[in-house]
Amino acid sequence: MARPNWNTAKKKGIFRKWHILLALLGFTFSFSVHLLSTASIVPVIEKAPIRSSQPISNVFISHTEVPESIEQLIENGKTLYQSGQFAFAVQSFQQAAQVSQSQNDALNQALALNFLSLSEQKLGHWNQASVAITTSLDLLNQSKLTNSNAKHILALVLNTQGNLQLALGQAENALQSWQEAAKTYTEIGDTAGNIGSLINQATAFQSLGLYRRTMKIFEQVEKNLLSMPNSLLKAAGLRSWGNWLLASGDIENSQKMLEQSLIVAQQLRSPQEESATLLSLGNAAFAKGKRNLIKESTTEDNFLPSRCGQTAIAQTEDTKYFKKAFYYYHEIANKSSSSITAVQAQLNRLSVLQFLGQQPTSEYLGSIKSALSNLTPSRAAVYARINFVQSLVCFEKTHKQTTKEIFNSPTQNQEFQAGAREQAKIQNFEEIVELLNISVQQAKEIKDQRAESYSLGYLAQFYEMRKQFSNAQRYTESALNLAQLINAPDIAYHWEWQLGRLLMAQGNLERAVAAYTTAVDTLHTLRGDLVALNTDTQFDFRDEVEPVYRQLVGLLLESDQTSTDKAVTKQVSQKNLKQARDAIEALQLAELDNFFQDACITIQPTQIDEVVDNSNPVTAVFYSIILADRIEIIVKLPYSQELRHYTTYKPKVEVENTLEALRQKLEQRYTFRDREDLSQEVYNWIIKPAIAGLEQSNVKNLVFVMDGSLQNIPMAALYDGKQYLIEKYSVALSPGLQLLAPKQKQRRLEALIAGLTESRLGFSSLSNVGTELQQIESIIPSKQLINQAFTSINIEQLVSTISFPVVHLATHGKFSSKLEDTYILAWNDKIKIKQLREILQTREQVVGRSNRVPPPIELLVLSACETATGDKRAALGLAGVAVRSGARSTLASLWQVDDKSTSVLMSEFYRQLTQNTNLSKAEALRRAQEFLLKDKEHPFYWAPYVLVGNWL
């Protein structure tokens, strides 16, 4: 390759212009794909992958005129990129790179290749993107980077390389690239570029599950941004950081950053920056309103991906946030000079109306249609049209549900009825098909196969809703072929799932199972990507991931049985049973990934059957899954190659109501007959059909991989009419045997014990904790931290210097289905779940170095915790603590028992472990519970203590 000529760029004046733009591009162009937008998280994304973009012209850009200079080519490519016309941007950047090479201008060739890689990434052309960025770096590495302009280009290219590496699942490599970029920006004194690289590093650390490092970067970025003088760059930087925090789930801090961005934009009197930040603030308020929504239990699960907000019930507090979001979106109409930003705000208002249960006027819908027709063809425009269609479908669904009430109600005035009639006219079949066909055509026009795949897929889904299965299947297969062609598994699984639904609806069950299986396999390959920050689509796990697993299990275990309250045995092949069990295990893992918003949970390669067959005590494993019309149970008995299976046909709503009633009765100290009846009913669903096999196999220990609300029920309290389950079997819970940590070879009992007796941070005192800790200390060697000494820093220091096999924390704690509401209380603060592993194990590895990792904790005990009231999935937080703490086993309480019985049970538990070193932890807990049961028969006192993880 010819020797670079660094003087060419200066002569052409390109660097004089790019020197000014490079820092800003750090926020708006070349940084991580997660940050490349005015508002990277748009609420209506739940309906379609809409993205915000830089302001664009309504004049369509000609693709036939070839600019004469490198500068014009790069400027044209940048404009095309920012307008969402990525295929044409590729052409422009390719021409710029070729012209630069012909002129022996290595620096501008590297720059053009950098932007080419970014454009190829947007199109999903990973190989082309890799070649472009590698060539760009080679050019730079062969040259002497003697001036700041050249180093700017190097930093820019390193950031782009990091984007690509993260997209390919190489988080550690991405981190190294962004660290090198930050170092380069620091060398040339580019504060803005350094901040952008730090934001990208936070993305990488989060992807790696390194919570503390993410928070350190957060503090550093916040400090740097706020210390900058007011400028458009500062406004954009604060907004980018706020969008990143919002995508990470940190809504409160996101709002703070966005409010600061708005203040700066207003002081600078920049309508463009102000409208962009208002859009992000609206998204944050919308997200906050949705976070606490309570979804009603329904008689059936949503078979199709559900994106309609009207199924939710908003509390008064949540309604306030929705109205605030509506206000922000409304304000944009008066300020934005960007057509796409204005349309996105209109669409977001439409989405807010769904959650508020309100219908839009025909005039408002007409104004959106008009605005859409005036947009320049781009990916954002295609996604906006798809989103609008999905909103129309949602409002049509609501309209059909309420039309009868409206026209039969004497209290509804004529004006309201007329509005309802007018609404009905808008959502007609031909109009929706036309809108989607325009999306397909525009995607083809801009040569965007990803957008084309989305358009075809949603067109197919609309035909599916209309039960036109032949058309739906044809368009689905076309969408799937495109997704596979561009190697886009994140959208391919949608169409694989859709194809499975269509085949099932047409009675082709064998092919349907194959399609569903492919979708689940694709989801498994997407573990990290599904929970990573994603600008094109924010995955709603409950609506767009979980149903794939559940529907596959339902299909595999299908039967002709229609209705009975009794558990029945069905003839299902062993192949289907094993695949269904694997799908249940995979769902448990996916739920935890979604809970943590990362994919850092380690899967053990051990075969599940081997774990059970080699277990001592003799163990059986029960898998459950709650479907719309039934409960399915799969049982693995020891030394048996065949799985057992039985079904109880009962609507999901009845199952949920029974489980909720049982949980309430278990927490009430004076219930008796009604509690036993409910407990026996659940026993009949899960245990009774397997009793003969359990007795024949001489099973002593039961492990439960439970689904949904069943996770909130302590299995030990199930009642057979004569005795509780714990009186016959030891019991353990598992979030999946793939997550089972191996048993320590030799047990050593030495404990770090800590707790609070005094009232702290609004929590009540725990008067019996002192006695509890003293009794434990009298049984096993212990180091005690109580009250002021019980801090996260003190625990971390002790754990890092002494390898404690047991950590016992007697303090307030809460398990919730919300990550931010799952914590344990220390003297000075709440220890959030993501901090827990780092505090207890201090084994966070430094990238690029191999550190000695201390042995994991054998047993973590949380003796005064509780699950969140009213949260049907609260036990997900308990499973999360058990997995993320790094402990092999976790013993925790489902509800708080502030009574001396806790001290009695814990003392007996440790006494059993010390008296017989071969005794399993599950059996030690069973004996302790049985010991307490003799004195206090009601399950309130002994049932809430559950063992999660390794039961040995």
Side-chain angles (χ1 to χ4, degrees):
M1 186 175 289
R3 182 178 177 82
N5 183 351
W6 297 113
N7 294 321
T8 306
K10 290 184 179 180
K11 291 177 182 178
K12 292 183 178 295
I14 295 177
F15 269 119
R16 286 196 293 274
K17 191 166 190 176
W18 279 102
H19 181 78
I20 298 171
L21 291 175
L22 279 172
L24 183 58
L25 289 175
F27 291 117
T28 61
F29 199 164
S30 72
F31 280 177
S32 172
V33 290
H34 312 308
L35 304 173
L36 189 129
S37 64
T38 300
S40 52
I41 306 302
V42 179
V44 287
I45 267 174
E46 290 181 347
K47 294 182 248 168
I50 287 186
R51 297 195 71 260
S52 302
S53 67
Q54 298 299 311
I56 61 174
S57 169
N58 286 331
V59 179
F60 191 73
I61 299 168
S62 171
H63 308 298
T64 57
E65 178 184 353
V66 179
E68 296 179 355
S69 70
I70 299 172
E71 180 181 13
Q72 287 176 307
L73 284 164
I74 291 180
E75 284 290 346
N76 188 44
K78 181 171 72 74
T79 302
L80 290 164
Y81 182 100
Q82 292 174 336
S83 66
Q85 300 175 53
F86 305 115
F88 295 117
V90 164
Q91 294 177 6
S92 191
F93 291 133
Q94 283 175 336
Q95 290 177 41
Q98 291 166 1
V99 173
S100 299
Q101 184 178 19
S102 69
Q103 297 180 7
N104 198 24
D105 185 353
L107 185 58
N108 282 320
Q109 184 183 353
L111 182 64
L113 288 169
N114 169 76
F115 294 144
L116 175 61
S117 178
L118 280 170
S119 302
E120 297 282 22
Q121 288 179 45
K122 296 304 293 181
L123 293 169
H125 299 162
W126 306 113
N127 290 335
Q128 294 92 322
S130 296
V131 170
I133 202 63
T134 300
T135 306
S136 179
L137 276 171
D138 286 345
L139 283 167
L140 294 172
N141 289 333
Q142 291 174 21
S143 310
K144 294 182 180 180
L145 306 180
T146 57
N147 57 56
S148 61
N149 288 333
K151 290 183 178 179
H152 265 295
I153 295 295
L154 174 61
L156 200 64
V157 172
L158 286 168
N159 269 323
T160 299
Q161 179 178 252
N163 297 342
L164 179 60
Q165 289 166 332
L166 189 69
L168 296 176
Q170 302 166 11
E172 292 186 359
N173 292 336
L175 178 60
Q176 289 180 345
S177 294
W178 287 326
Q179 287 172 337
E180 290 178 30
K183 181 180 178 182
T184 305
Y185 278 125
T186 301
E187 288 178 5
I188 59 178
D190 187 338
T191 303
N194 185 58
I195 290 173
S197 293
L198 285 173
I199 292 175
N200 285 340
Q201 288 179 49
T203 303
F205 279 128
Q206 187 182 55
S207 180
L208 292 168
L210 304 181
Y211 175 80
R212 285 187 300 179
R213 297 191 182 188
T214 304
M215 296 312 297
K216 286 179 181 178
I217 288 181
F218 165 74
E219 295 168 0
Q220 187 177 349
V221 169
E222 182 177 8
K223 180 180 177 182
N224 292 348
L225 280 171
L226 295 177
S227 65
M228 291 174 64
N230 282 0
S231 64
L232 295 179
L233 182 61
K234 180 176 180 178
L238 287 166
R239 184 174 62 253
S240 292
W241 183 233
N243 289 336
W244 185 92
L245 291 168
L246 178 59
S248 304
D250 190 349
I251 300 176
E252 284 72 20
N253 281 315
S254 169
Q255 288 177 313
K256 292 177 183 178
M257 292 298 102
L258 293 172
E259 286 165 359
Q260 290 291 326
S261 174
L262 183 62
I263 291 171
V264 174
Q266 289 172 337
Q267 290 176 349
L268 295 173
R269 297 183 179 180
S270 171
Q272 178 179 327
E273 291 298 320
E274 189 175 348
S275 62
T277 302
L278 283 169
L279 184 59
S280 294
L281 277 167
N283 299 340
F286 197 4
K288 194 164 187 178
K290 290 193 295 180
R291 184 170 64 176
N292 295 322
L293 284 179
I294 301 173
K295 290 193 174 183
E296 293 179 305
S297 295
T298 57
T299 55
E300 59 181 3
D301 291 329
N302 292 318
F303 188 71
L304 296 170
S306 173
R307 301 178 182 86
C308 299
Q310 72 272 11
T311 58
I313 303 171
Q315 302 292 332
T316 304
E317 188 75 6
D318 302 322
T319 304
K320 178 180 73 175
Y321 295 122
F322 289 131
K323 291 180 178 178
K324 193 171 184 180
F326 192 87
Y327 166 77
Y328 284 132
Y329 297 141
H330 178 73
E331 284 293 295
I332 293 170
N334 302 323
K335 300 179 183 296
S336 178
S337 59
S338 164
S339 301
I340 190 64
T341 301
V343 169
Q344 287 169 347
Q346 286 181 295
L347 289 169
N348 289 357
R349 287 173 66 192
L350 205 57
S351 188
V352 172
L353 287 176
Q354 294 174 38
F355 280 83
L356 292 173
Q358 299 176 14
Q359 291 280 337
T361 64
S362 59
E363 289 80 10
Y364 186 66
L365 294 176
S367 69
I368 296 177
K369 287 176 61 180
S370 177
L372 285 170
S373 65
N374 291 326
L375 288 177
T376 301
S378 66
R379 177 178 290 183
V382 171
Y383 289 170
R385 188 169 274 102
I386 295 171
N387 185 274
F388 181 55
V389 165
Q390 292 169 333
S391 287
L392 292 180
V393 171
C394 285
F395 284 117
E396 182 183 36
K397 179 180 177 182
T398 306
H399 170 77
K400 286 182 177 179
Q401 292 172 344
T402 58
T403 295
K404 186 175 181 180
E405 298 177 14
I406 291 173
F407 288 101
N408 291 341
S409 173
T411 61
Q412 297 291 356
N413 59 38
Q414 291 183 353
E415 182 180 350
F416 190 84
Q417 292 182 2
R421 290 189 186 95
E422 202 165 5
Q423 175 69 31
K425 296 177 184 177
I426 297 172
Q427 288 97 346
N428 61 75
F429 178 84
E430 291 79 11
E431 179 183 26
I432 288 176
V433 170
E434 180 185 2
L435 286 166
L436 289 170
N437 277 326
I438 291 173
S439 294
V440 173
Q441 187 58 40
Q442 286 196 351
K444 289 181 178 179
E445 185 179 337
I446 61 174
K447 300 180 181 179
D448 191 329
Q449 292 177 312
R450 186 179 181 89
E452 185 181 352
S453 178
Y454 269 120
S455 301
L456 287 167
Y458 284 117
L459 178 58
Q461 190 177 113
F462 182 68
Y463 278 116
E464 179 187 13
M465 293 175 184
R466 298 287 173 167
K467 300 189 184 304
Q468 297 185 22
F469 299 127
S470 178
N471 282 337
Q473 183 173 337
R474 178 164 52 91
Y475 285 118
T476 298
E477 289 171 343
S478 296
L480 179 57
N481 288 337
L482 277 173
Q484 292 171 339
L485 182 65
I486 61 173
N487 191 24
D490 56 316
I491 54 177
Y493 97 85
H494 281 280
W495 313 142
E496 290 160 351
W497 172 28
Q498 189 160 285
L499 182 59
R501 297 195 306 267
L502 292 167
L503 291 167
M504 181 164 55
Q506 296 173 83
N508 194 335
L509 299 187
E510 185 175 349
R511 285 190 63 197
V513 168
Y516 269 100
T517 300
T518 303
V520 167
D521 291 342
T522 302
L523 281 170
H524 185 71
T525 67
L526 278 170
R527 273 191 70 198
D529 295 328
L530 277 177
V531 295
L533 309 181
N534 189 300
T535 55
D536 280 343
T537 183
Q538 290 295 310
F539 290 90
D540 185 334
F541 182 83
R542 295 281 298 274
D543 291 337
E544 298 191 11
V545 176
E546 183 177 338
V548 185
Y549 294 94
R550 293 189 180 280
Q551 290 169 21
L552 173 59
V553 172
L555 197 56
L556 289 166
L557 305 180
E558 195 60 60
S559 168
D560 295 331
Q561 185 73 30
T562 54
S563 64
T564 176
D565 286 343
K566 295 182 179 180
V568 296
T569 302
K570 302 184 299 188
Q571 294 300 317
V572 177
S573 71
Q574 284 296 308
K575 177 184 177 182
N576 279 16
L577 286 176
K578 289 179 180 179
Q579 187 178 351
R581 178 186 65 176
D582 292 344
I584 294 173
E585 285 261 350
L587 173 58
Q588 295 276 335
L589 176 63
E591 285 182 322
L592 286 170
D593 282 345
N594 181 67
F595 176 73
F596 285 115
Q597 288 298 291
D598 62 39
C600 299
I601 299 170
T602 302
I603 301 174
Q604 300 296 328
T606 307
Q607 292 295 317
I608 295 172
D609 290 347
E610 292 179 10
V611 172
V612 178
D613 291 342
N614 296 331
S615 179
N616 183 17
V618 182
T619 296
V621 181
F622 288 73
Y623 293 86
S624 71
I625 191 162
I626 302 172
L627 301 177
D629 59 344
R630 64 196 193 271
I631 307 169
E632 297 280 11
I633 305 293
I634 298 175
V635 183
K636 161 61 184 171
L637 293 173
Y639 319 120
S640 173
Q641 294 183 353
E642 293 192 354
L643 297 174
R644 307 291 178 90
H645 165 241
Y646 43 89
T647 305
T648 299
Y649 288 89
K650 185 176 285 291
K652 180 179 180 180
V653 65
E654 292 184 23
V655 172
E656 298 282 357
N657 290 340
T658 298
L659 294 174
E660 186 176 356
L662 174 57
R663 175 59 186 261
Q664 290 176 355
K665 296 296 182 183
L666 289 171
E667 290 190 60
Q668 297 169 3
R669 306 183 191 209
Y670 305 108
T671 56
F672 182 63
R673 176 55 59 190
D674 51 351
R675 167 182 50 78
E676 290 185 343
D677 290 344
L678 289 168
S679 182
Q680 189 168 359
E681 181 177 4
V682 178
Y683 174 91
N684 291 341
W685 298 345
I686 301 173
I687 305 297
K688 186 176 180 180
I691 284 295
L694 296 176
E695 293 179 348
Q696 185 177 0
S697 301
N698 197 29
V699 169
K700 302 297 181 183
N701 179 61
L702 306 181
V703 176
F704 295 92
V705 182
M706 292 288 100
D707 180 42
S709 296
L710 281 168
Q711 295 174 346
N712 290 329
I713 303 298
M715 294 293 111
L718 297 188
Y719 191 68
D720 67 0
K722 295 181 180 180
Q723 61 182 171
Y724 293 105
L725 194 65
I726 202 65
E727 296 180 80
K728 192 173 182 180
Y729 302 100
S730 58
V731 171
L733 304 179
S734 174
L737 298 195
Q738 294 180 79
L739 306 177
L740 189 66
K743 182 187 176 184
Q744 196 175 39
K745 292 183 179 180
Q746 187 173 0
R747 179 180 294 165
R748 178 174 65 90
L749 287 180
E750 183 178 356
L752 171 61
I753 58 177
L756 299 177
T757 62
E758 300 179 15
S759 174
R760 291 297 297 169
L761 304 178
F763 291 85
S764 62
S765 61
L766 297 170
S767 56
N768 288 289
V769 163
T771 303
E772 179 182 334
L773 298 185
Q774 288 175 4
Q775 290 179 346
I776 295 171
E777 199 168 19
S778 69
I779 299 171
I780 60 175
S782 305
K783 170 65 178 178
Q784 185 179 130
L785 299 174
I786 194 164
N787 292 330
Q788 291 92 335
F790 178 19
T791 66
S792 58
I793 293 176
N794 286 344
I795 291 177
E796 184 173 352
Q797 288 176 345
L798 281 171
V799 170
S800 64
T801 56
I802 304 173
S803 180
F804 290 100
V806 179
V807 174
H808 184 111
L809 305 178
T811 180
H812 289 282
K814 183 175 287 186
F815 306 123
S816 169
S817 61
K818 299 173 186 175
L819 184 67
E820 64 273 16
D821 292 339
T822 299
Y823 60 85
I824 57 175
L825 184 68
W827 176 260
N828 56 335
D829 201 3
K830 294 177 181 177
I831 300 176
K832 297 296 181 68
I833 187 172
K834 281 197 170 183
Q835 295 172 272
L836 193 59
R837 181 183 184 95
E838 298 171 32
I839 290 173
L840 291 180
Q841 295 289 22
T842 62
R843 56 181 184 178
E844 189 178 293
Q845 292 191 16
V846 178
V847 174
R849 294 190 302 179
S850 178
N851 287 356
R852 292 185 61 189
V853 178
I857 295 169
E858 181 68 20
L859 175 65
L860 171 65
V861 180
L862 306 170
S863 66
C865 293
E866 58 187 324
T867 50
T869 303
D871 187 343
K872 293 181 179 180
R873 297 195 173 201
L876 187 61
L878 170 56
V881 169
V883 171
R884 185 52 67 94
S885 69
R888 299 181 192 274
S889 311
T890 299
L891 173 57
S893 53
L894 291 176
W895 59 81
Q896 192 180 114
V897 185
D898 187 19
D899 185 271
K900 66 178 182 180
S901 58
T902 300
S903 300
V904 173
L905 184 139
M906 289 298 167
S907 299
E908 184 63 23
F909 171 69
Y910 286 112
R911 187 173 292 109
Q912 290 290 339
L913 287 177
T914 56
Q915 288 177 353
N916 186 348
T917 56
N918 294 321
L919 195 68
S920 70
K921 292 188 283 285
E923 178 60 19
L925 177 60
R926 188 198 74 78
R927 294 182 184 184
Q929 289 176 306
E930 192 173 35
F931 178 81
L932 189 58
L933 184 151
K934 294 176 182 178
D935 180 50
K936 294 189 174 183
E937 184 178 352
H938 197 290
F940 169 82
Y941 297 99
W942 50 264
Y945 304 99
V946 294
L947 185 69
V948 184
N950 195 307
W951 58 88
L952 301 175

